[in-house]
Amino acid sequence: MSPMILNTIEVILNGLMAGVMYALVALGFVLIFKASGIFNYAQGVMALFAALTLVGFQTGQVPFSHLINVVFGTNYHHWSSGINSFLAILLTMLVMVGLAWLVERVVLRHLVNQEQIILFMATIGLAFFMEGLGDLMWGANIKVLDVGLPSGGSFWWEDVTREWASEGSEYYGMYIDVLDVWAAGIAIVLVIALTIFSQYTKTGRALRAVADDHQAALTVGISLRTIWVVVWSIAGFVALVAGIMWGSKSGIQFSLSLIALKALPVLILGGFTSIPGAIIGGLIIGVGEKLFEFGIGPLIGGATENWFAYVLALIFLMFRPQGLFGDKIIERV
Amino acid sequence: MNTAQNTGDALLSLKNISLSFGGVKALTDISFDILKGEIRAIIGPNGAGKSSMLNVINGFYHPQQGEVWFNGSLRGPLKPHEIARQGIARTFQNIALFKGMSTLDNLMTGRITKMNTNIFWQAIWKGKAEKEELEHREKVEHIIDFLEIQAIRKTPVGRLPYGLQKRVELGRALAAESKLLLLDEPMAGMNVEEKEDMCRFVLDVHEEFGTTIALIEHDMGVVMDIADRVVVLDYGKKIGDGYPDDVRADQNVIDAYLGVSHD
Ligand SMILES: Nc1ncnc2c1ncn2[C@@H]1O[C@H](COP(=O)(O)OP(=O)(O)OP(=O)(O)O)[C@@H](O)[C@H]1O
Ligand SMILES: [Mg+2]
């Protein structure tokens, strides 16, 4: 194979890995949107918050230490030198469930039957709140997250692919970050697990029922409030997974909540109500933007990754507004 | 047929129920009861308040006045899902199924009040959750056989023709094994054959499970055939209540159906 083809393959693979990340964030959006019709602007901040909390637990930080120290003139920062990653993940998950419960209690419960735009604005408020809460609890400095996932380029893959290059060409092999491969693997397992859960368990069916028809769900005895807590918890879990991946890769910093905005074009492609759509949409955007940057970027000055997804989404909006897999939009008259 | 006579206990009593929407009075001072084990029909012209009555019974509407007694105790202002848990199941005039889900899943979801393993066991799908799932599956298969809908077990119900959707909705309500079953025009829009089937199912359910049923129906033939007692509403008021034959002979009822003007 010529180095050109090999390079293209590398770009596609890297695009797929980036796409997994987008897909995960989009998945969180879709889950909440389906169950409650809310476009949760805070999904990205949830990932940020989850990752911050995870590092906080891992390194044994005292939550709100800054605040406590200011108010009481103390100097606490750590209550332990750190705890096991697995335990920290479990604790973080508990925090995310608590957060879901709180969101239902404080926000959703009071806004049932409100216009979508009001619910949407409530989630914008929620995003700012969680961002501030994250800062206040764990401090605003950039943090390193390491839960023990292997990372770095794969030499094995480099060697293998070097063999593929045609004789005599100068090709040094493909670069793939092992961390990305792990991330993709974990995401696949997560999606399969969620699918099985929603197909074959009581709560899974209740989730689908609520997503399908609120009135009918109430009639068979499903409590919408309980389901909302469950859905936001699951979205919190998905956010945690996304936060771990992104955090392991680029450190935990505010920009994490910005990549969540990339989920918007993903959703426009995949449809707001389709889980497979979120995944495939994420992959298409991931691959699309990398390929575009690789092929066309140099001709037009680069940095196309910042806007490519949005332009693609715009084009999509013109031709297929319901997305690839979304329910057909039929206006009721 | 008049099981009403040998039971005597009221499962549900409505006392002086009044319900209005803004200026519209949907129900005015309505009282009647449903005895354990009977088939109680609610009839009346369009807009009489029949569906509103069912909505009060299952908690979608909260009346401004009046009391609902269920199973011997006064009921507070409960939410529909809590009322479902107390043992009231229903179907809707315009069908409210989970359209994207299969017949089987719709019925399984109908049984949700009967299932009680917590989410943790479900998540790891072990022991209790698995056993419970299989148990309930068996019950649901029984209902599927009973309603003769084996052929559409796996079909997403949104794709089914209207008549079959009505049947699946009945199945979902049956799956709850409720004490009281509310049916809002289960035969509306059906052809003669489908109507006969539905009639048979309602009677069979009544016989086999002894379920108490409240039924809204426009077809007087059907009502006279299967109801033990009938309550008649018109413009939100109760204008008749009694055995089918008596109600049919009642001058007020005849007037209401013939559209004699109200003054
Ligand atoms: N949610 C609501 N908001 C406003 N008005 C309502 C509402 N529900 C019912 N009504 C009004 O209450 C009255 C009774 O309606 P209801 O649906 O109970 O009648 P019905 O006897 O079931 O009629 P039909 O035979 O056409 O089904 C009607 O005037 C209706 O417009
Ligand atoms: Mg009606």
Side-chain angles (χ1 to χ4, degrees), chain B residues 21 24 26 44-53 61 93 185 218:
Chain B
F21 302 98
V24 182
N46 288 105
K50 305 179 296 294
S51 297
S52 300
M53 198 69 245
Y61 293 166
Q93 192 168 347
E185 305 200 15
H218 276 295

Side-chain angles (χ1 to χ4, degrees), chain B residues 36-92:
Chain B
K36 279 195 181 130
E38 78 172 334
I39 298 183
R40 183 73 141 131
I42 303 175
I43 64 170
N46 288 105
K50 305 179 296 294
S51 297
S52 300
M53 198 69 245
L54 288 201
N55 285 334
V56 165
I57 297 174
N58 98 308
F60 275 123
Y61 293 166
H62 293 280
Q64 280 82 9
Q65 268 157 44
E67 293 176 351
V68 179
W69 290 71
F70 182 62
N71 218 9
S73 47
L74 178 63
R75 196 173 79 187
L78 298 180
K79 304 237 164 46
H81 74 268
E82 294 165 323
I83 290 172
R85 284 173 187 274
Q86 287 193 340
I88 298 184
R90 73 170 288 182
T91 65
F92 292 86

